[in-house]
Amino acid sequence: MDPDPSGTPSPLRTAKRAWAAVPPGATHHLVLQDDVLLCAGFAAHLADAVRARPRHAVALYSNWNSPQNSYLVRRAAAAGSAWAPLSPAEWTPTQGLVLPAERAGELAAYLAPISDDIRDDDEMVALFCADRGLPVVAAVPHLVDHEDTPSLAGHPGSFHATVYAGGRRLGPGHWRTYDDRERGTFAVELIDSRCFLRLFREGEPVEHPFGWYWADWSSLIGLDPRRILAALPRRDLPAYARELWAAAYILGADAGERAGPGADWILHRAIASWVASGLSAADRTRLDERSSAALTGLGVEAVERGRAAARPRLEELVRA
């Protein structure tokens, strides 16, 4: 419980106590925030996931429109990977987080002297993991979602998982599938119905709101914007659908071939959350359940078109 519930709201204040509560003999320590929903079969999925990544920090959630991590999770979903390596520059998702027990104790000691006025435990956890060289990966799909309730930390907006497992079953061996390529040099964002590229540059604040419009800068990542638009299945699509197409096409080209068999529903949910979080409020009001599903299907098709477009480019690089 919060030791000072009437004080200034501070997730960090309670996080200190939660990370220090490691039971004797435990191999790993899980901390869940109180406003999360657990997927069906949570305990079994969690045990299997931790067995597959016993020495990592395992995040069970990422926010559906975070600047870098949400894209890295979608990239993993498109690649058929059960794991997404998260950004060392962005806050670590702490809605559901597992650490090896020894590391959890170290984190508790690390957090203890930090003033509760800092409030944001997720940024302090990110600093700890970077300082200790502890890699952070997100489970794909996520095992927890965020309830649609006001944030204690006071952040505005709606917060949900990038790709939530919900009640779906995972195939045997799911957590052993991993795309071990490097994190990449960019992220794709869909903000207010427009697609942007976010180029990773060392020292740049991850929260900055300035993206690079995809059509102007996609050549920097080896993609011709004219070819992306030429691949559209129809020319009469509304602007927001064309922007989603561009975002998902670039995602597919970046993800390339699947690392494993994956599951189609995982990619479908990753695109559906992009539709829900990335469109402007005005455009969202134009969608009903049927048209939203159709838009998600368009995004999934764009991923496959982008994936196919990447093959000749990769084959050319191999020959070179």
Side-chain angles (χ1 to χ4, degrees):
M1 298 297 292
D2 188 338
D4 185 15
S6 61
T8 302
S10 174
L12 176 61
R13 183 168 58 237
T14 310
K16 292 176 180 179
R17 295 164 65 95
W19 285 112
V22 184
T27 63
H28 292 77
H29 191 55
L30 163 68
V31 170
L32 293 170
Q33 294 186 357
D34 62 356
D35 55 358
V36 297
L37 302 171
L38 308 184
C39 72
F42 173 80
H45 288 320
L46 177 66
D48 289 343
V50 170
R51 287 189 195 101
R53 288 287 176 269
R55 291 182 293 277
H56 288 68
V58 175
L60 309 180
Y61 173 92
S62 71
N63 194 47
W64 61 0
N65 60 358
S66 62
Q68 294 183 12
N69 286 340
S70 64
Y71 177 72
L72 296 172
V73 168
R74 290 188 176 97
R75 184 177 186 257
S81 174
W83 299 101
L86 297 186
S87 168
E90 189 172 299
W91 56 89
T92 298
T94 52
Q95 285 79 6
L97 185 66
V98 184
L99 296 182
E102 181 180 357
R103 295 292 198 175
E106 293 173 5
L107 174 59
Y110 181 91
L111 296 177
I114 300 174
S115 170
D116 294 338
D117 293 336
I118 298 295
R119 300 203 313 171
D120 293 323
D121 63 316
D122 48 10
E123 295 197 12
M124 298 303 101
V125 173
L127 292 175
F128 167 80
C129 291
D131 180 68
R132 303 304 167 92
L134 180 61
V136 184
V137 292
V140 182
H142 300 332
L143 303 186
V144 306
D145 196 5
H146 194 285
E147 287 186 321
D148 210 356
T149 55
S151 167
L152 175 66
H155 301 304
S158 182
F159 302 95
H160 286 290
T162 305
V163 51
Y164 180 44
R168 297 296 296 260
R169 293 186 177 185
L170 300 174
H174 172 80
W175 299 112
R176 294 195 294 271
T177 305
Y178 185 53
D179 176 18
D180 59 358
R181 290 174 300 161
E182 292 294 323
R183 178 172 58 94
T185 59
F186 67 91
V188 182
E189 293 185 285
L190 193 64
I191 303 173
D192 285 334
S193 298
R194 300 192 76 203
C195 173
F196 296 94
L197 297 179
R198 181 182 286 264
L199 306 180
F200 298 155
R201 291 182 287 188
E202 188 173 352
E204 186 175 71
V206 72
E207 299 94 340
H208 78 79
F210 307 110
W212 302 49
Y213 186 60
W214 76 272
D216 296 331
W217 297 100
S218 58
S219 59
L220 287 179
I221 58 173
L223 294 174
D224 185 342
R226 294 167 298 181
R227 293 188 66 180
I228 294 175
L229 291 176
L232 278 164
R234 290 167 43 196
R235 294 293 177 267
D236 60 344
L237 292 170
Y240 62 81
R242 294 196 296 272
E243 294 291 297
L244 174 69
W245 175 271
Y249 186 105
I250 297 170
L251 170 64
D254 188 24
E257 295 294 338
R258 291 193 177 193
D264 291 339
W265 67 266
I266 295 177
L267 174 59
H268 190 277
R269 288 194 177 178
I271 299 300
S273 76
W274 226 352
V275 171
S277 64
L279 266 58
S280 67
D283 287 335
R284 285 198 303 272
T285 62
R286 297 183 173 94
L287 299 178
D288 55 19
E289 186 175 345
R290 182 176 179 180
S291 56
S292 180
L295 190 58
T296 297
L298 179 74
V300 171
E301 180 182 348
V303 169
E304 297 306 327
R305 291 291 188 94
R307 198 194 310 277
R311 290 189 195 115
R313 196 156 50 91
L314 290 174
E315 291 168 0
E316 184 179 330
L317 289 172
V318 169
R319 286 196 299 271

